[in-house]
Amino acid sequence: MTEVEIDGRHLRLSNLDKVFWPATGFTKGQMIEYYRRIAGLLLPHLRGRPLTLKRYPDGVDAEFFYEKQCPSHRPPWVATCPIARRGTTGKPIDYCLVDDLASLVWVANLASIELHPLLAFCDHVDHPTMVVFDLDPGPPADLVDCCQVGLWVRQVLSELELQPFPKTSGSKGLQLYVPLNTPHTYADTKPFARAIARRLAEQHPDRVVERMDKSLRAGKVLIDWSQNDVSKTTVCAYSLRARERPTVSAPVAWQEVERALGDGDPRPLQLEAPEVIERVQRLGDLFAPVRRLRQELPQVA
């Protein structure tokens, strides 16, 4: 057990030498250190948003569980957000709010490798601040195919005078975020995302699918529009992922997406924790506009 003090908060960190990524030897302590170093960029994307934890107590190769209810043994300085359960009169779920570095380190010490916030803030849970397109390749399609589909999505959105921002999923796909930061509900965003997905599936039926049936996905990229829902979460920018290697859901530039497609090589987009730390020192937060840019959704058929 290691005791640390962060901004006047006292924490006890456990099992820091425990290997969480066996393929690389990346430890729990290294995971916590990554989150400490990336916090300046990560926290603005988490602050005020109810958070679902995805915990891996014995590392990425072992069992995991999702946790919406913030643990009862949390320190008193970890804020929570009560949200009513949909379709029931049961007790509200108290989600964790990770608004500061001490709370982030506390959550990481719970072995929450992945951080999954809502698309809305605690005080306006029915009003998403963004639209998300999750591009998921069905083998043998891969991340390069997602780059092509992502560029098609960008073109359609550009025609609608909307600007999207890409990040890797940290797994096998690509995610596009369309910042809104204007009054919208999921009744606006979900049909909009589905209409865009359907349009591209009709234009590129051999490459794109918008229906969720797994039998339809082989060799195609699913444009998953269903994430735009009050009950869904999407992995946060700069969150680690529980994959074979300590990859990160990392914001990237459109030029990098274009280069990966042109070269037919996904590897430059498969970013791991040390690379992301080095990148942000050079590039800053490529996802900063997602928090600030104000856009209005148009009507689409």
Side-chain angles (χ1 to χ4, degrees):
M1 194 74 68
T2 301
E3 295 192 7
V4 298
E5 181 178 332
I6 300 174
D7 298 331
R9 312 293 195 186
H10 294 275
L11 295 92
R12 301 179 71 188
L13 307 181
S14 60
N15 302 315
L16 297 182
D17 294 330
K18 192 171 187 176
V19 174
F20 270 17
W21 281 264
T24 64
F26 202 78
T27 66
K28 181 183 179 183
Q30 288 174 297
M31 176 192 76
I32 292 174
E33 176 63 8
Y34 164 77
Y35 277 127
R36 186 192 69 80
R37 295 184 66 186
I38 203 67
L41 282 77
L42 169 62
L43 283 172
H45 297 288
L46 280 182
R47 196 169 285 124
R49 297 182 186 273
L51 182 67
T52 294
L53 311 181
K54 192 174 182 183
R55 297 175 59 180
Y56 290 79
D58 294 307
V60 301
D61 289 346
E63 293 185 1
F64 67 89
F65 60 96
Y66 288 93
E67 191 166 29
K68 294 183 178 182
Q69 178 71 37
C70 199
S72 59
H73 58 78
R74 63 184 177 271
W77 40 263
V78 174
T80 61
C81 174
I83 298 180
R85 299 173 189 266
R86 303 284 163 167
T88 178
T89 57
K91 185 178 178 181
I93 299 173
D94 273 326
Y95 287 80
C96 293
L97 292 176
V98 174
D99 291 347
D100 53 48
L101 177 58
S103 298
L104 177 61
V105 171
W106 177 77
V107 163
N109 188 57
L110 294 179
S112 183
I113 290 175
E114 299 188 4
L115 306 171
H116 292 254
L118 295 186
L119 299 179
F121 290 110
C122 174
D123 50 357
H124 297 288
V125 294
D126 293 315
H127 297 273
T129 62
M130 63 197 77
V131 179
V132 174
F133 296 90
D134 190 3
L135 310 184
D136 186 13
D142 61 10
L143 181 53
V144 171
D145 295 283
C146 291
C147 291
Q148 176 62 84
V149 174
L151 291 167
W152 287 335
V153 174
R154 181 181 68 163
Q155 177 60 39
V156 171
L157 294 173
S158 177
E159 293 168 1
L160 297 171
E161 299 184 348
L162 291 171
Q163 187 176 1
F165 295 83
K167 71 178 175 72
T168 67
S169 69
S171 180
K172 55 186 178 178
L174 195 69
Q175 297 170 341
L176 309 184
Y177 280 48
V178 183
L180 300 177
N181 301 307
T182 50
H184 288 87
T185 68
Y186 290 102
D188 304 318
T189 60
K190 193 171 185 177
F192 174 85
R194 187 171 192 177
I196 299 299
R198 183 183 296 117
R199 179 184 300 184
L200 285 165
E202 291 171 351
Q203 291 175 353
H204 307 280
D206 57 331
R207 303 285 299 278
V208 177
V209 61
E210 59 92 13
R211 292 171 55 190
M212 301 299 162
D213 313 54
K214 290 188 177 181
S215 61
L216 302 176
R217 298 187 194 181
K220 299 181 182 181
V221 173
L222 169 67
I223 302 180
D224 188 351
W225 47 268
S226 70
Q227 297 297 106
N228 299 282
D229 190 277
V230 67
S231 64
K232 297 290 186 71
T233 61
T234 304
V235 69
C236 191
Y238 303 109
S239 173
L240 282 158
R241 300 306 304 270
R243 308 299 294 177
E244 182 180 12
R245 305 181 68 84
T247 52
V248 173
S249 182
V252 293
W254 279 113
Q255 295 92 325
E256 294 177 288
V257 175
E258 294 165 349
R259 190 178 308 121
L261 176 62
D263 295 343
D265 185 1
R267 288 175 295 178
L269 297 183
Q270 294 166 339
L271 298 163
E272 298 182 22
E275 297 171 276
V276 171
I277 293 295
E278 187 274 330
R279 275 174 63 88
V280 301
Q281 291 170 348
R282 291 187 292 108
L283 303 175
D285 183 9
L286 295 177
F287 236 46
V290 173
R291 296 188 293 109
R292 299 192 297 260
L293 181 62
R294 295 174 63 84
Q295 302 186 109
E296 295 275 359
L297 286 182
Q299 294 293 323
V300 293

